[in-house]
Amino acid sequence: MASNKQMYDKGKVVAGLVIFVILITFPFWYNLGKAAPAPELKLTEKAKAEKVCVMSKEEMKAGHMQLLDIWRESVVRNAERTYVNASGKEYSMSLSNTCLDCHSNKADFCDRCHNYVSVSPYCWDCHIDNPKEAKK
Amino acid sequence: MNAKYMFSLVAVIVLFLLAYAGVEGAGLHVLFGILIPYAAIAVFTVGFVWRIVNWAQSPVPFRIPTTCGQQKSLTWISPAAIDNPATNGAVVIRMILEILLFRSLFRNLKFHFNEGNRFSYIWEKWLWLGALAFHWAFLAVVIRHLRFFAEPVPFWVQWVEQLDSFFRVEFFTDFLQIGLPGIFLSGLVLLAAAVYLLLRRIIIPQVKYISLAADFFPLFLIIGIALSGIAMRYFLKEDIVGIKEFTMGLVTFHPSIPANVSGIFYVHLFFVSVLLAYFPFSKLMHLGGIFMSPTRNLANNSRTQRHVNIWNYPVKVHTYEEYEEEFREKMIEAGLPVEKEL
Ligand code: HEM
């Protein structure tokens, strides 16, 4: 009896399995033939001259949103506007005036990275995103 | 204490240690980051298809749909078209509602003796609610994770992200800082629901009695996945851009190991790999099984259509006509009535 194995409702089962495999392999065919390296970030002349960010590059990469959170908290709740980093350098804790002073190329820096990982910070609802250009 | 859940818990702890020590101690990044994930996705896909094909080869001898309402009958009796489906269309509708809303679980009842030993039923909706929350949250988390596996990130992934992060909780203390990056509710709901489903099996005596190690293991594993994910997002702060480069490398078949990623990421990835590889051989196959259940995928139409049992063996029969043909003369001699005279 077991010798003549057959699939019942073959059409429907095969159609279901094809849909399953297409869904499961989505990342493979969606990105077919694309290389997707991390976006190249442009540093402004000013940033290049300064050489270092507020924290080390590794810390900034993973933790800049938490740094911004700390800055926001100290300015808005504690009226504390000066930040001293690990190497003793002082910064005025401001999103638009400090971060975007060095990184005034927001579109080629913050946004590029954020688009790559699909995050859209709501900060720009209120904060001016490019003070330099706004002044012109 | 119970050997079954202790066994599963210990198994998950061992898996954790394997991945953590393997990466942080022995430097087996390529094994845990590239080889095991590829093997896991292959086992998952092939195993899943194999299980379904295997099921499709099992004949279903009878129409056995579970019916929960009036069958289609005389025109003046109104039928429950979806709960007692008479057509394939109605079966499809019932199946979709079952998969999206778990209607059969909604009917879950608890039995109970009132005073004076009166038997009664109680609505028990917690299992339904917990299961629904768990599965929808899991789906949302998986869809959101596609941001790591697609470039450009598709708009529908971003919709889910936006919907999922509508609830902004931001609080700030010296030791805990929540809010940037924003809270994704589905991750937390997934963890809470999985913990509820686990506690249910540990605390309720009847449910504990019927629970096996195979019920506890996936729950512990998924709790482990959720905990490691939540730890990465809100506390450890991984290099997300590096991780996306790594995952994109995997899906474009140019794998490379990211530089500054902690052992917890590999634990997360290893747990997911184990879940995928374990999937086809476990009860988790109910994902495919729901489509193959005869109690759900058949129309209750045996009164209007003839269904021949595919198991039927060609039995040698001797019909009455043949019998009379053989013995007609003797029957007439003995005075027995015959249908056809000589
Ligand atoms: C069964 C599949 C998976 C489940 C259920 C799962 C679950 C989770 C959960 C609950 C979180 C917490 C944050 C959130 O809610 O998004 C998370 C974060 C994370 N998961 Fe997964 N995960 C899965 C597969 C994967 C895979 C395959 C990878 C990568 C190879 C991965 C990488 C990550 C990373 C990098 C984070 C941190 C995200 C961030 O910081 O924004 N996960 N995961």
Side-chain angles (χ1 to χ4, degrees), chain A residues 5-8 20 24 27-28 30-31 34 36 38 58 62 65-66 69 72-73 113 116-118 122, chain B residues 44 48 56-57 59 147 149 151-152 158 161 168 170 172 177 180 237-238 244-245 248 251-252 260:
Chain A
K5 272 207 172 161
Q6 56 153 329
M7 257 164 87
Y8 299 93
F20 166 76
I24 284 303
F28 295 102
Y30 182 83
N31 298 302
K34 285 182 225 164
E58 279 62 45
M65 56 310 251
Q66 294 203 319
D69 205 12
R72 180 172 61 177
E73 180 78 10
C113 214
Y116 186 61
V117 293
S118 179
Y122 62 91
Chain B
F44 173 71
F48 196 104
Q57 287 171 339
R147 76 175 164 136
F149 296 96
E151 179 59 33
Q158 292 177 333
E161 277 172 353
R168 287 222 76 113
E170 302 194 348
F172 195 102
Q177 179 193 337
L180 291 183
K237 311 310 302 165
E238 295 293 341
K244 176 149 188 186
E245 265 193 299
M248 289 305 294
V251 298
T252 51
N260 298 306

Side-chain angles (χ1 to χ4, degrees), chain B residues 181-227:
Chain B
I183 300 258
F184 279 137
L185 273 187
S186 60
L188 304 178
V189 171
L190 174 67
L191 179 62
V195 168
Y196 163 73
L197 293 173
L198 176 71
L199 289 181
R200 180 182 159 269
R201 284 193 184 274
I202 293 180
I203 291 172
I204 303 175
Q206 295 92 328
V207 185
K208 182 174 174 181
Y209 183 71
I210 57 166
S211 296
L212 304 173
D215 297 306
F216 289 117
F217 179 66
L219 282 171
F220 279 120
L221 196 60
I222 289 167
I223 290 172
I225 294 174
L227 280 177

Side-chain angles (χ1 to χ4, degrees), chain A residues 9-10 22 36 40 42 47 54 69 79 83 85 87 96-97 122:
Chain A
D9 288 318
K10 196 168 185 176
I22 289 176
E40 241 181 84
K42 280 202 199 119
V54 179
D69 205 12
Y83 178 82
N85 76 358
S87 53
S96 299
N97 297 332
Y122 62 91

Side-chain angles (χ1 to χ4, degrees), chain A:
Chain A
M1 223 171 76
S3 62
N4 54 352
K5 272 207 172 161
Q6 56 153 329
M7 257 164 87
Y8 299 93
D9 288 318
K10 196 168 185 176
K12 287 180 197 155
V13 174
V14 170
L17 286 176
V18 168
I19 292 173
F20 166 76
V21 171
I22 289 176
L23 286 180
I24 284 303
T25 54
F26 166 79
F28 295 102
W29 52 258
Y30 182 83
N31 298 302
L32 202 68
K34 285 182 225 164
E40 241 181 84
L41 301 175
K42 280 202 199 119
L43 286 180
T44 55
E45 292 306 322
K46 168 140 200 202
K48 273 185 198 148
E50 297 273 357
K51 286 208 180 62
V52 285
C53 196
V54 179
M55 301 187 293
S56 77
K57 186 174 166 178
E58 279 62 45
E59 285 172 304
M60 283 314 281
K61 249 187 173 174
H64 60 276
M65 56 310 251
Q66 294 203 319
L67 180 69
L68 282 169
D69 205 12
I70 294 172
W71 283 18
R72 180 172 61 177
E73 180 78 10
S74 12
V75 171
V76 180
R77 305 257 179 242
N78 305 331
E80 185 73 60
R81 284 184 188 266
T82 317
Y83 178 82
V84 186
N85 76 358
S87 53
K89 200 164 176 239
E90 286 191 1
Y91 293 91
S92 156
M93 291 193 254
S94 170
L95 175 55
S96 299
N97 297 332
T98 306
C99 303
L100 294 191
D101 183 29
C102 282
H103 303 298
S104 54
N105 54 340
K106 175 173 169 285
D108 287 336
F109 189 78
C110 314
D111 293 355
R112 228 181 233 190
C113 214
H114 291 162
N115 288 344
Y116 186 61
V117 293
S118 179
V119 278
S120 45
Y122 62 91
C123 319
W124 318 115
D125 291 357
C126 302
H127 290 266
I128 302 170
D129 60 337
N130 199 334
K132 292 262 164 63
E133 268 176 20
K135 265 181 221 153
K136 274 179 205 163

Side-chain angles (χ1 to χ4, degrees), chain B residues 224-257:
Chain B
I225 294 174
L227 280 177
S228 52
I230 286 169
M232 278 191 289
R233 180 171 176 85
Y234 303 107
F235 305 108
L236 302 176
K237 311 310 302 165
E238 295 293 341
D239 173 6
I240 299 297
V241 174
I243 289 175
K244 176 149 188 186
E245 265 193 299
F246 161 71
T247 50
M248 289 305 294
L250 281 182
V251 298
T252 51
F253 299 105
H254 292 92
S256 65
I257 294 295

Side-chain angles (χ1 to χ4, degrees), chain B residues 97-274:
Chain B
L97 291 176
E98 175 69 24
I99 288 168
L100 298 183
L101 302 174
F102 301 180
R103 290 173 80 231
S104 63
L105 213 49
F106 193 72
R107 299 199 175 89
N108 189 29
L109 293 173
K110 203 167 130 188
F111 311 114
H112 167 79
F113 282 110
N114 284 337
E115 307 155 40
N117 266 7
R118 280 170 59 96
F119 188 67
S120 81
Y121 301 95
I122 307 172
W123 271 30
E124 210 282 296
K125 297 285 174 260
W126 294 111
L127 175 60
W128 172 78
L129 199 67
L132 205 66
F134 172 80
H135 284 85
W136 277 104
F138 200 111
L139 179 67
V141 170
V142 168
I143 292 179
R144 275 199 291 100
H145 271 67
L146 290 178
R147 76 175 164 136
F148 297 128
F149 296 96
E151 179 59 33
V153 180
F155 64 92
W156 42 271
V157 172
Q158 292 177 333
W159 283 354
V160 175
E161 277 172 353
Q162 234 120 70
L163 203 66
D164 206 345
S165 59
F166 83 95
F167 189 63
R168 287 222 76 113
V169 195
E170 302 194 348
F171 61 89
F172 195 102
T173 62
D174 286 341
F175 58 95
L176 196 62
Q177 179 193 337
I178 299 288
L180 291 183
I183 300 258
F184 279 137
L185 273 187
S186 60
L188 304 178
V189 171
L190 174 67
L191 179 62
V195 168
Y196 163 73
L197 293 173
L198 176 71
L199 289 181
R200 180 182 159 269
R201 284 193 184 274
I202 293 180
I203 291 172
I204 303 175
Q206 295 92 328
V207 185
K208 182 174 174 181
Y209 183 71
I210 57 166
S211 296
L212 304 173
D215 297 306
F216 289 117
F217 179 66
L219 282 171
F220 279 120
L221 196 60
I222 289 167
I223 290 172
I225 294 174
L227 280 177
S228 52
I230 286 169
M232 278 191 289
R233 180 171 176 85
Y234 303 107
F235 305 108
L236 302 176
K237 311 310 302 165
E238 295 293 341
D239 173 6
I240 299 297
V241 174
I243 289 175
K244 176 149 188 186
E245 265 193 299
F246 161 71
T247 50
M248 289 305 294
L250 281 182
V251 298
T252 51
F253 299 105
H254 292 92
S256 65
I257 294 295
N260 298 306
V261 174
S262 79
I264 292 298
F265 172 71
Y266 290 93
V267 169
H268 189 69
L269 187 58
F270 185 55
F271 277 169
V272 174
S273 304
V274 171

